Amino acid sequence: MAKGFQTLPGFRDFYPEECATRNHVFDTWRDLAHRYGFVEYEAPLLEPTDLYTRKSGDEIVKQLFCFTDKGEREVSMRPELTPSLARMAAARQRDFKKPLKWFSIGQFFRYEKQQKGRGREFYQFNCDILGETSPAADAELIALAIDLMRTLGFTEADFRIRLSDRSAWTDFAREAGVPEERVTEFLQIIDKLEREPAEKTAAKLEPLGVSLAAVHGLIAHGEAAGGSIGAIRADLAARGMADFVQVDLGIVRGLAYYTGPVFEVFDIGKGMRAVAGGGRYDSLVRLIGDVDMPACGFAMGDMVITDLIRETPAAKARLDEALRRSRALDVYVVIAAEDRRAEALGVVQALRGAGLRVGYPLVEAKVGRQFQAAEEQGAARAVIVGAEFPTLSIKDLAQREEKASQMETLLADLGVAG
Amino acid sequence: MAKGFQTLPGFRDFYPEECATRNHVFDTWRDLAHRYGFVEYEAPLLEPTDLYTRKSGDEIVKQLFCFTDKGEREVSMRPELTPSLARMAAARQRDFKKPLKWFSIGQFFRYEKQQKGRGREFYQFNCDILGETSPAADAELIALAIDLMRTLGFTEADFRIRLSDRSAWTDFAREAGVPEERVTEFLQIIDKLEREPAEKTAAKLEPLGVSLAAVHGLIAHGEAAGGSIGAIRADLAARGMADFVQVDLGIVRGLAYYTGPVFEVFDIGKGMRAVAGGGRYDSLVRLIGDVDMPACGFAMGDMVITDLIRETPAAKARLDEALRRSRALDVYVVIAAEDRRAEALGVVQALRGAGLRVGYPLVEAKVGRQFQAAEEQGAARAVIVGAEFPTLSIKDLAQREEKASQMETLLADLGVAG
């Protein structure tokens, strides 16, 4: 750019096409949340930094857009929503009937090393059920995630839910004699199991008194898992969703606060990426807000899912249709006689008043160029205002058929309620 | 709060009711922009600080949430959108047919002294037409603003468009011999005219060689204004909107970059607040992006308009209806026999698959409590799954009428497409 203004690294400009793509994802998120009876909320984009360090330790500061504000407060652009949700739910817990079924769509910020599929800002869909300990709540979230993926155009050939339970690992650690204060470290080793060489994992497990074979043994027996996992699977089976679920105790999820079942929506194409993830966090609301409130939730970011939509033909087709609709006018008003501009503006106004998306030439233009503009803007029909006003002409731009109309009957002739 | 986590001063938590209120405003903004043929875009929330100081001088830094990021960049949470828009439009100006009709809905941040109706964060609707010098573009924006207010439920009794033209004042200043480099200062004096005592204004005008009487003289003759103002009024009159417009040269708008017609949407109730404002800025895209692109636009924040909606009965009624819809379930599935839970989950799934908003008890509950939950969640109907499954019962919760149904015919019996 001539004067050097550029978007900051890791931040995105959403030109109309990218914004419509984003909105297709947002609309689907919101539609599914509504179908599942969730209500929307939003929290501040800027929060006190210690809201995040309380839960995750000072380590997280390295990844925060944090600073000292003009009032000497230590503040951070939010890297995630759950701590804010815990604060909000705790502060007004008496005002709402349990369980709360809440969702949110918003933007988040992490100062990360730049790499494909990771920005320094991203949008995230957060969906949580608070105030319910039953695995039925976990199942409701997983069902929502599955239906969300299906509504976006994905099938059993594209994704799986990988379901696990952290308590299987905390029980295992206790039985193996891992000291209480090292259980988090143990879980982090399990979290990296798939991504690190076996020798490295074995070496890290050894000082904890755990063998790699014992770890693999637990994973191998995962399918037999009862308890929460069994209840969740039975619930999803009753919804006809059994085939989407795969028990995989190798999943523990990175975040420190999970306490029970955890899951990922996992791309089974060549990408093999986690598209969404979540789990149960029964202690976080107490930690943040000093109120006992069991909870579970999941989040889906916009970046991986958007890549996946673009790579998957059926999902891409739905996106393309959404893009077409996002930019298409219903009617383009052609001003065939410039001295009828005032009357044409009246037509524009009448059509917009009926809820239609309407374009017209802001300044005098040749009729041919106006029809070209109508097609470029995806208008289904043109209404032509000329010397014959109040007689008008309606042209179907796909069928290339034209019929006469009158100002008084125009809405009816277009098949629109006035 | 017990552990001391609080929302930062000037920032808002959007609990479900506040979020639904926000979404009612957002939905109306988006609906009107679409009807007017605008397409949506979005820019980053964080931008290089000099994007704002370039245009407004270092003075603006006092109002910015600005900081040095971990890569030693001077960055700011955006206080407004127009500089980002100018950057984006200039960077890809060859890719789009002119005029561009672009809108955006996003959040902004200003470190302001706290007062009613002003937060440190707010949402704003921005609507701009780029690449067109004709006053027809200004008129299209004003018409959109008027229709937006009407769609929210406001009438001629509630608001006016105050229309002015900065070039009337720059012409006046030139004729009065105000030095070129002091014209901005002169405009700022005019901007404060209504809010400051006459003596103070006269004293400030004197060193510029301008009398207060001459200023009032220009304002008194405003109604006779021709040029852009005349063209805009004629355009709006053709749309049947003449009665909403009031020429008032006392309006010059605060921002430095306006170059021609400017306007405000003005509450004529007791509040007398500016609800929205904008104008023509033909030089900004060159300043930011080194490309000549005339432009005009306006912005509406969420805070004043939301206050006004709550104070105005007709607008409040539309909001209340939107709130009711936002939280209402279509159907609540009552599980009358717990051993039919699996079948009930199948019913839930079938109904959601048809696009309905569906709730059900996550855990066993007495039938009476389930009906209570259904009413609390605004469900229009209950579907009762009991021992008689696959025979079901549909209850209209308003009419309190019940009829039998079958699993196979349920969607049809509810009048829903499968």
Side-chain angles (χ1 to χ4, degrees), chain A residues 240-304:
Chain A
M241 293 174 167
D243 292 346
F244 288 97
V245 184
Q246 163 187 325
V247 173
D248 184 346
L249 293 185
I251 303 297
V252 295
R253 304 288 305 155
L255 291 168
Y257 52 66
Y258 291 122
T259 56
V262 291
F263 70 96
E264 278 181 7
V265 180
F266 187 74
D267 153 32
I268 55 175
K270 42 185 169 57
M272 308 273 279
R273 289 154 294 189
V275 177
R280 181 162 282 282
Y281 53 98
D282 282 345
S283 315
L284 187 67
V285 182
R286 163 155 298 286
L287 185 71
I288 301 278
D290 210 17
V291 166
D292 268 321
M293 199 184 288
C296 52
F298 79 96
M300 178 184 286
D302 71 315
M303 298 184 76
V304 173

Coordinates of all heavy atoms in Angstrom, one line a residue, chain A residues 240-304:
Chain A
G240 N -30.2 -41.6 17.2 CA -29.8 -42.1 15.9 C -28.4 -41.6 15.5 O -28.0 -41.5 14.3
M241 N -27.6 -41.2 16.5 CA -26.3 -40.6 16.2 C -25.1 -41.5 16.6 O -23.9 -41.1 16.6 CB -26.1 -39.3 17.0 CG -27.1 -38.2 16.5 SD -27.0 -36.8 17.5 CE -27.8 -35.5 16.5
A242 N -25.4 -42.8 16.9 CA -24.3 -43.7 17.4 C -23.1 -43.8 16.5 O -22.0 -43.8 16.9 CB -24.9 -45.1 17.6
D243 N -23.4 -43.8 15.2 CA -22.3 -44.0 14.2 C -21.3 -42.8 14.2 O -20.2 -43.0 13.6 CB -22.9 -44.2 12.8 CG -23.6 -45.6 12.7 OD1 -23.4 -46.4 13.7 OD2 -24.3 -45.8 11.8
F244 N -21.7 -41.7 14.7 CA -20.7 -40.6 14.7 C -19.7 -40.6 15.8 O -18.8 -39.8 15.9 CB -21.5 -39.2 14.7 CG -22.3 -38.9 13.5 CD1 -23.6 -39.2 13.3 CD2 -21.6 -38.3 12.4 CE1 -24.3 -38.9 12.2 CE2 -22.3 -38.0 11.2 CZ -23.6 -38.3 11.1
V245 N -20.0 -41.5 16.8 CA -19.2 -41.4 18.0 C -18.2 -42.5 18.1 O -18.5 -43.7 17.8 CB -20.2 -41.5 19.3 CG1 -19.4 -41.3 20.6 CG2 -21.2 -40.4 19.2
Q246 N -17.0 -42.2 18.6 CA -15.9 -43.1 18.7 C -15.3 -42.9 20.0 O -14.8 -41.7 20.3 CB -15.0 -42.9 17.5 CG -13.6 -43.4 17.5 CD -12.9 -42.8 16.3 OE1 -13.5 -42.6 15.2 NE2 -11.6 -42.5 16.4
V247 N -15.3 -43.8 20.9 CA -14.6 -43.6 22.2 C -13.1 -43.7 22.0 O -12.6 -44.5 21.3 CB -15.0 -44.7 23.2 CG1 -14.2 -44.6 24.5 CG2 -16.5 -44.6 23.5
D248 N -12.4 -42.7 22.5 CA -10.9 -42.6 22.3 C -10.3 -41.9 23.5 O -10.3 -40.7 23.7 CB -10.6 -41.8 21.1 CG -9.1 -41.8 20.8 OD1 -8.3 -42.1 21.7 OD2 -8.7 -41.4 19.7
L249 N -9.9 -42.8 24.5 CA -9.4 -42.2 25.7 C -8.1 -41.4 25.5 O -7.6 -40.8 26.4 CB -9.2 -43.3 26.8 CG -10.5 -44.0 27.3 CD1 -10.2 -44.9 28.4 CD2 -11.5 -42.9 27.8
G250 N -7.5 -41.5 24.3 CA -6.3 -40.7 24.0 C -6.6 -39.2 24.0 O -5.7 -38.4 24.1
I251 N -7.9 -38.9 24.0 CA -8.3 -37.4 24.0 C -8.4 -37.0 25.5 O -9.1 -37.6 26.2 CB -9.7 -37.2 23.4 CG1 -9.7 -37.8 21.9 CG2 -10.1 -35.8 23.4 CD1 -8.8 -37.1 21.0
V252 N -7.6 -36.0 25.9 CA -7.8 -35.4 27.2 C -8.1 -33.9 27.1 O -8.5 -33.3 28.1 CB -6.7 -35.7 28.2 CG1 -6.6 -37.2 28.5 CG2 -5.4 -35.1 27.7
R253 N -7.9 -33.3 26.0 CA -8.0 -31.8 25.8 C -7.0 -31.0 26.6 O -6.7 -31.4 27.7 CB -9.4 -31.3 26.1 CG -10.6 -32.0 25.4 CD -10.7 -31.6 24.0 NE -10.8 -30.2 23.7 CZ -10.5 -29.6 22.6 NH1 -10.0 -30.3 21.6 NH2 -10.6 -28.3 22.4
G254 N -6.5 -30.0 26.0 CA -5.4 -29.2 26.6 C -5.8 -28.4 27.9 O -5.0 -28.4 28.8
L255 N -7.0 -27.9 27.9 CA -7.3 -26.9 29.0 C -7.3 -27.6 30.4 O -7.7 -28.7 30.6 CB -8.6 -26.3 28.8 CG -8.6 -25.3 27.6 CD1 -10.0 -24.9 27.2 CD2 -7.8 -24.0 28.0
A256 N -6.8 -26.9 31.4 CA -6.5 -27.5 32.7 C -7.9 -27.8 33.4 O -7.9 -28.6 34.3 CB -5.7 -26.5 33.5
Y257 N -9.0 -27.1 33.1 CA -10.1 -27.1 34.0 C -11.1 -28.2 33.7 O -12.1 -28.3 34.5 CB -10.8 -25.8 34.0 CG -11.2 -25.2 32.7 CD1 -12.1 -25.7 31.8 CD2 -10.6 -24.0 32.3 CE1 -12.5 -25.2 30.6 CE2 -11.0 -23.4 31.1 CZ -11.9 -24.0 30.2 OH -12.2 -23.4 29.1
Y258 N -10.9 -29.1 32.8 CA -11.8 -30.2 32.5 C -11.8 -31.2 33.7 O -10.7 -31.5 34.2 CB -11.6 -30.9 31.2 CG -12.0 -30.0 30.0 CD1 -11.0 -29.7 29.0 CD2 -13.2 -29.5 29.9 CE1 -11.3 -28.9 28.0 CE2 -13.6 -28.7 28.8 CZ -12.6 -28.4 27.8 OH -12.9 -27.6 26.8
T259 N -13.0 -31.7 34.0 CA -13.0 -32.7 35.2 C -13.7 -34.0 34.8 O -13.7 -34.9 35.7 CB -13.9 -32.0 36.3 OG1 -15.2 -31.7 35.8 CG2 -13.2 -30.8 36.9
G260 N -14.3 -34.1 33.7 CA -15.1 -35.4 33.4 C -15.0 -35.7 31.9 O -13.9 -35.6 31.3
P261 N -16.1 -36.0 31.3 CA -16.1 -36.3 29.9 C -15.6 -35.2 29.0 O -15.9 -34.0 29.3 CB -17.6 -36.5 29.5 CG -18.3 -36.9 30.9 CD -17.5 -36.1 31.9
V262 N -14.8 -35.5 28.1 CA -14.3 -34.5 27.1 C -14.5 -35.1 25.7 O -14.6 -36.3 25.5 CB -12.8 -34.2 27.3 CG1 -12.6 -33.4 28.6 CG2 -11.9 -35.4 27.3
F263 N -14.6 -34.2 24.7 CA -14.8 -34.7 23.4 C -14.2 -33.7 22.3 O -14.0 -32.5 22.6 CB -16.3 -35.0 23.1 CG -17.1 -33.7 23.0 CD1 -17.5 -33.2 21.7 CD2 -17.7 -33.1 24.1 CE1 -18.3 -32.0 21.6 CE2 -18.5 -32.0 24.0 CZ -18.8 -31.5 22.8
E264 N -14.0 -34.2 21.1 CA -13.6 -33.4 20.0 C -14.4 -33.8 18.8 O -14.8 -34.9 18.6 CB -12.1 -33.7 19.6 CG -11.1 -33.1 20.4 CD -9.7 -33.4 20.0 OE1 -9.5 -34.1 18.9 OE2 -8.7 -33.0 20.7
V265 N -14.7 -32.8 18.0 CA -15.2 -33.0 16.7 C -14.0 -33.1 15.8 O -13.2 -32.2 15.8 CB -16.1 -31.9 16.1 CG1 -16.6 -32.2 14.7 CG2 -17.3 -31.7 17.1
F266 N -13.8 -34.3 15.1 CA -12.6 -34.6 14.5 C -12.8 -34.9 13.0 O -13.6 -35.7 12.6 CB -12.0 -35.8 15.2 CG -10.6 -36.2 14.8 CD1 -9.5 -35.4 15.2 CD2 -10.4 -37.3 13.9 CE1 -8.2 -35.7 14.8 CE2 -9.1 -37.6 13.5 CZ -8.0 -36.8 14.0
D267 N -12.0 -34.2 12.2 CA -12.0 -34.3 10.7 C -11.4 -35.6 10.3 O -10.2 -35.8 10.6 CB -11.3 -33.1 10.2 CG -10.7 -33.3 8.8 OD1 -11.2 -34.1 8.0 OD2 -9.7 -32.6 8.5
I268 N -12.1 -36.5 9.7 CA -11.5 -37.8 9.3 C -11.0 -37.9 7.9 O -10.7 -38.9 7.4 CB -12.4 -39.0 9.6 CG1 -13.8 -38.9 9.0 CG2 -12.6 -39.2 11.1 CD1 -14.6 -40.1 9.1
G269 N -11.0 -36.7 7.2 CA -10.4 -36.6 5.9 C -8.9 -36.5 6.1 O -8.3 -36.8 7.1
K270 N -8.2 -36.0 5.0 CA -6.7 -36.0 5.2 C -6.2 -35.0 6.2 O -5.1 -35.2 6.7 CB -6.1 -35.8 3.8 CG -6.7 -34.8 2.9 CD -6.0 -34.8 1.5 CE -6.7 -34.0 0.5 NZ -7.2 -33.1 0.0
G271 N -7.0 -34.0 6.5 CA -6.6 -33.0 7.5 C -6.4 -33.5 8.9 O -5.4 -33.2 9.6
M272 N -7.3 -34.4 9.3 CA -7.2 -34.9 10.7 C -7.1 -33.9 11.7 O -6.3 -33.9 12.6 CB -6.0 -35.9 10.8 CG -5.9 -36.9 9.7 SD -6.8 -38.4 10.2 CE -5.7 -39.2 11.3
R273 N -7.9 -32.8 11.6 CA -7.9 -31.7 12.5 C -9.0 -31.8 13.5 O -10.1 -32.3 13.2 CB -8.0 -30.4 11.8 CG -6.8 -30.1 10.9 CD -7.1 -29.2 9.7 NE -8.0 -29.9 8.8 CZ -8.3 -29.5 7.6 NH1 -7.8 -28.3 7.2 NH2 -9.1 -30.1 6.8
A274 N -8.8 -31.2 14.7 CA -9.9 -31.0 15.7 C -10.6 -29.8 15.2 O -10.0 -28.7 15.0 CB -9.3 -30.8 17.1
V275 N -11.9 -29.9 15.0 CA -12.7 -28.8 14.5 C -13.4 -28.1 15.6 O -13.7 -26.9 15.6 CB -13.8 -29.4 13.5 CG1 -14.7 -28.3 13.0 CG2 -13.2 -30.2 12.4
A276 N -13.7 -28.8 16.7 CA -14.3 -28.3 17.9 C -14.0 -29.2 19.1 O -13.5 -30.3 18.9 CB -15.8 -28.2 17.7
G277 N -14.1 -28.7 20.3 CA -13.8 -29.5 21.4 C -14.4 -28.9 22.7 O -14.7 -27.7 22.7
G278 N -14.6 -29.8 23.6 CA -15.1 -29.3 24.9 C -15.2 -30.4 25.9 O -14.6 -31.5 25.7
G279 N -15.9 -30.2 27.0 CA -16.0 -31.2 28.0 C -16.6 -30.6 29.3 O -17.1 -29.5 29.3
R280 N -16.6 -31.4 30.3 CA -17.2 -31.0 31.6 C -16.2 -30.3 32.5 O -15.0 -30.7 32.5 CB -17.7 -32.3 32.3 CG -18.4 -32.1 33.6 CD -19.3 -33.2 34.0 NE -20.5 -33.2 33.3 CZ -21.6 -32.4 33.6 NH1 -21.5 -31.5 34.6 NH2 -22.7 -32.5 32.9
Y281 N -16.6 -29.2 33.1 CA -15.7 -28.4 34.0 C -16.5 -28.1 35.3 O -17.0 -27.0 35.4 CB -15.1 -27.2 33.3 CG -16.2 -26.3 32.7 CD1 -16.6 -25.1 33.3 CD2 -16.7 -26.6 31.4 CE1 -17.5 -24.3 32.7 CE2 -17.6 -25.7 30.8 CZ -18.0 -24.6 31.5 OH -19.0 -23.8 30.9
D282 N -16.6 -29.0 36.2 CA -17.5 -28.9 37.3 C -16.9 -28.0 38.5 O -17.6 -27.6 39.4 CB -17.8 -30.3 37.9 CG -18.9 -31.0 37.1 OD1 -19.5 -30.3 36.3 OD2 -19.0 -32.2 37.3
S283 N -15.6 -27.6 38.4 CA -15.0 -26.8 39.4 C -14.8 -25.3 39.1 O -14.5 -24.5 39.9 CB -13.7 -27.4 39.9 OG -13.8 -28.8 40.0
L284 N -14.9 -25.0 37.8 CA -14.4 -23.7 37.4 C -15.3 -22.5 37.9 O -14.8 -21.5 38.3 CB -14.4 -23.6 35.8 CG -13.8 -22.3 35.3 CD1 -12.3 -22.2 35.6 CD2 -14.0 -22.2 33.8
V285 N -16.6 -22.7 38.0 CA -17.5 -21.6 38.4 C -17.2 -21.3 39.9 O -17.2 -20.1 40.3 CB -19.0 -22.0 38.2 CG1 -19.8 -20.8 38.7 CG2 -19.3 -22.3 36.7
R286 N -16.8 -22.3 40.7 CA -16.4 -22.1 42.1 C -15.1 -21.3 42.1 O -15.0 -20.4 42.9 CB -16.3 -23.4 42.9 CG -15.5 -23.3 44.2 CD -15.9 -24.3 45.2 NE -17.2 -24.3 45.7 CZ -17.7 -23.4 46.5 NH1 -17.0 -22.4 46.9 NH2 -19.0 -23.4 46.8
L287 N -14.2 -21.7 41.3 CA -12.9 -21.1 41.3 C -13.0 -19.6 40.9 O -12.3 -18.7 41.5 CB -11.9 -21.8 40.3 CG -10.5 -21.3 40.2 CD1 -9.7 -21.7 41.5 CD2 -9.8 -21.9 39.0
I288 N -13.8 -19.3 39.9 CA -13.9 -17.9 39.4 C -14.9 -17.1 40.2 O -14.7 -15.9 40.5 CB -14.4 -17.9 37.9 CG1 -13.4 -18.6 37.0 CG2 -14.7 -16.5 37.4 CD1 -12.2 -17.9 36.6
G289 N -16.1 -17.7 40.6 CA -17.2 -17.0 41.1 C -17.7 -17.4 42.5 O -18.6 -16.9 43.0
D290 N -16.9 -18.4 43.1 CA -17.2 -18.8 44.5 C -18.7 -19.4 44.6 O -19.3 -19.2 45.7 CB -17.1 -17.6 45.4 CG -16.6 -18.1 46.8 OD1 -16.2 -19.3 46.9 OD2 -16.8 -17.4 47.8
V291 N -19.2 -20.0 43.6 CA -20.5 -20.6 43.6 C -20.4 -22.0 43.0 O -19.7 -22.2 42.0 CB -21.5 -19.8 42.7 CG1 -22.7 -20.5 42.4 CG2 -21.7 -18.4 43.3
D292 N -21.0 -23.0 43.6 CA -21.0 -24.3 43.1 C -21.9 -24.4 41.9 O -23.1 -24.3 42.0 CB -21.4 -25.3 44.1 CG -20.2 -25.9 44.9 OD1 -19.1 -26.1 44.2 OD2 -20.3 -26.0 46.1
M293 N -21.4 -24.7 40.7 CA -22.2 -24.9 39.6 C -21.5 -25.8 38.6 O -20.6 -25.4 37.9 CB -22.5 -23.5 38.9 CG -23.8 -23.6 38.0 SD -24.1 -22.0 37.1 CE -24.6 -21.0 38.4
P294 N -22.0 -27.1 38.5 CA -21.4 -28.0 37.5 C -21.7 -27.5 36.1 O -22.7 -26.8 35.9 CB -22.1 -29.3 37.8 CG -23.5 -28.9 38.4 CD -23.2 -27.6 39.2
A295 N -20.8 -27.8 35.2 CA -21.0 -27.2 33.9 C -20.3 -28.1 32.8 O -19.3 -28.8 33.1 CB -20.5 -25.8 33.8
C296 N -20.8 -28.0 31.6 CA -20.1 -28.5 30.5 C -20.3 -27.7 29.3 O -21.3 -26.9 29.2 CB -20.5 -30.0 30.2 SG -22.3 -30.2 30.0
G297 N -19.4 -27.7 28.3 CA -19.5 -26.9 27.2 C -18.5 -27.3 26.1 O -17.7 -28.1 26.3
F298 N -18.7 -26.6 24.9 CA -17.7 -26.9 23.8 C -17.6 -25.6 23.0 O -18.5 -24.7 23.1 CB -18.1 -28.1 22.9 CG -19.1 -27.8 21.9 CD1 -18.8 -27.5 20.6 CD2 -20.5 -27.9 22.2 CE1 -19.7 -27.3 19.6 CE2 -21.4 -27.7 21.2 CZ -21.1 -27.3 19.9
A299 N -16.5 -25.5 22.3 CA -16.3 -24.3 21.4 C -15.9 -24.8 20.0 O -15.2 -25.8 19.9 CB -15.2 -23.4 22.0
M300 N -16.3 -24.0 19.0 CA -15.8 -24.3 17.7 C -15.3 -23.0 17.1 O -16.0 -22.0 17.1 CB -17.0 -24.8 16.8 CG -16.6 -25.0 15.3 SD -18.0 -25.5 14.3 CE -18.2 -27.2 14.8
G301 N -14.1 -22.9 16.6 CA -13.5 -21.7 16.0 C -14.0 -21.6 14.6 O -14.5 -22.6 14.0
D302 N -13.8 -20.4 14.0 CA -14.2 -20.3 12.6 C -13.2 -20.7 11.6 O -13.6 -21.0 10.4 CB -14.6 -18.8 12.3 CG -13.4 -17.9 12.3 OD1 -12.6 -18.0 13.2 OD2 -13.4 -17.0 11.4
M303 N -11.9 -20.8 12.0 CA -10.9 -20.9 10.9 C -10.8 -22.4 10.4 O -10.8 -22.6 9.1 CB -9.6 -20.4 11.4 CG -9.7 -18.9 11.7 SD -8.1 -18.1 12.3 CE -7.3 -18.0 10.7
V304 N -10.7 -23.4 11.2 CA -10.6 -24.7 10.7 C -11.9 -25.2 10.0 O -11.8 -25.7 8.9 CB -10.2 -25.7 11.9 CG1 -10.3 -27.1 11.4 CG2 -8.9 -25.4 12.5

